[in-house]
Amino acid sequence: MTTAAEPGRPLLEFRLRKPLAFAGGEALFDLGLSLPLGQWLAVQGPSGAGKTTLLRLLAGLETPTDGYIRFAGETWLDCASGQQLPTSRRQVGLVFQEHALFPHMRAGQQIDFARRPDKVAAPTDELLALVGLAGLADRYPATLSGGQKQRLALARTLASAPRLLLLDEPLSALDPLLRRTLQTLLRDIRDAGLVEAAILVSHDLAEARLLCERIVHLQRGRIHADRPAHRITLHPPLFHAPEEIPWHSPVTCC
């Protein structure tokens, strides 16, 4: 059953802790945020700052030592009580730089395979048309260009009817023209409200400002800055330290 966020409450709220090995040695990944309904959040920071770790923790692909995740009134994770919802039940869609398409499946089959029996998404032909791949349902990945493969990966993700979209540098390997095309596509998805919230990891500040309303900057697994996207200038970027996010009572390992 799909749940909805209570009026006045964030759609997504979490606090996560996990020891990680950073470039300068081991440190504690310690990050807490909340997102309202409809918000697209960009996450930036140097390589190894914990950006991908954040997405993997939210999706359930990694487990923190302490923390919680709540989405639309549903608890996805609560280390204190040992509660942990599996990835398949978190209604999360992930798109990575590596599209990870199945080489033996045609484009339409890739989309159909991703569908969830308990969710309703647009028909396959509509999803292919949405990402600019109309008429290519019978094509195998090997016959598609890099940009077409990434668009197919996005369509496949949307076929699972995700409520939260997680994007980990999905456009970084594309040439500038294809990147602009995919940025427009993501903006259309945002404006159409096809997902309830999204988190985008991107090193490109201009891209983050184009697609997201809010940008956070990580350093060694902690929030260094948190600003509305429109208040950040490109040269140089202006950030300020966020208000301290209180950690709730100590919790034990999941």
Side-chain angles (χ1 to χ4, degrees):
M1 181 179 65
T2 298
T3 56
E6 297 177 12
R9 291 292 302 273
L11 175 73
L12 171 68
E13 52 187 338
F14 61 87
R15 189 75 191 237
L16 300 166
R17 281 180 167 177
K18 181 182 178 73
L20 289 179
F22 294 94
E26 187 171 283
L28 182 66
F29 178 96
D30 183 359
L31 202 156
L33 284 171
S34 63
L35 275 69
L37 177 67
Q39 185 171 87
W40 282 49
L41 171 75
V43 179
Q44 297 200 300
S47 296
K51 303 182 298 296
T52 296
T53 295
L54 170 61
L55 300 191
R56 291 179 61 84
L57 288 169
L58 291 174
L61 301 177
E62 293 186 27
T63 302
T65 51
D66 300 329
Y68 65 88
I69 304 171
R70 292 189 286 269
F71 185 90
E74 180 180 38
T75 297
W76 286 0
L77 173 79
D78 183 355
C79 291
S81 64
Q83 183 175 354
Q84 183 167 337
L85 204 65
T87 300
S88 61
R89 294 179 56 196
R90 293 194 185 192
Q91 300 181 68
V92 167
L94 299 98
V95 181
F96 296 103
Q97 181 178 339
E98 300 80 16
H99 43 71
L101 299 173
F102 299 111
H104 62 285
M105 285 188 181
R106 301 176 190 270
Q109 293 173 321
Q110 307 262 357
I111 293 175
D112 292 337
F113 182 78
R115 294 184 182 279
R116 296 170 50 134
D118 58 333
K119 301 296 175 184
V120 177
T124 297
D125 288 346
E126 288 186 17
L127 288 173
L128 287 171
L130 173 68
V131 299
L133 298 178
L136 301 184
D138 291 330
R139 296 276 293 274
Y140 286 101
T143 69
L144 301 175
S145 68
Q148 288 173 328
K149 290 176 183 177
Q150 197 61 292
R151 280 183 274 172
L152 177 57
L154 181 57
R156 182 180 61 180
T157 298
L158 294 176
S160 67
R163 301 179 69 184
L164 175 64
L165 185 61
L166 304 177
L167 304 159
D168 192 2
E169 295 279 3
L171 313 183
S172 61
L174 304 179
D175 65 58
L177 179 58
L178 282 174
R179 188 163 189 158
R180 287 194 294 272
T181 300
L182 269 292
Q183 287 171 350
T184 299
L185 172 60
L186 288 173
R187 190 165 54 179
D188 290 344
I189 290 171
R190 180 199 67 191
D191 294 346
L194 295 184
V195 295
E196 295 178 37
I199 299 177
L200 166 71
V201 169
S202 174
H203 283 95
D204 187 329
L205 182 56
E207 179 174 274
R209 292 182 68 210
L210 175 69
L211 297 174
C212 301
E213 305 141 83
R214 177 183 174 195
I215 302 175
V216 298
H217 191 273
L218 303 187
Q219 288 188 1
R220 292 175 61 83
R222 294 174 183 263
I223 296 175
H224 174 68
D226 184 345
R227 290 286 298 272
H230 72 274
R231 293 181 59 192
I232 300 173
T233 58
L234 293 178
H235 304 290
L238 298 177
F239 289 105
H240 75 279
E243 295 181 359
E244 179 66 18
I245 302 172
W247 176 250
H248 295 276
S249 58
V251 292
T252 57
C253 179
C254 295

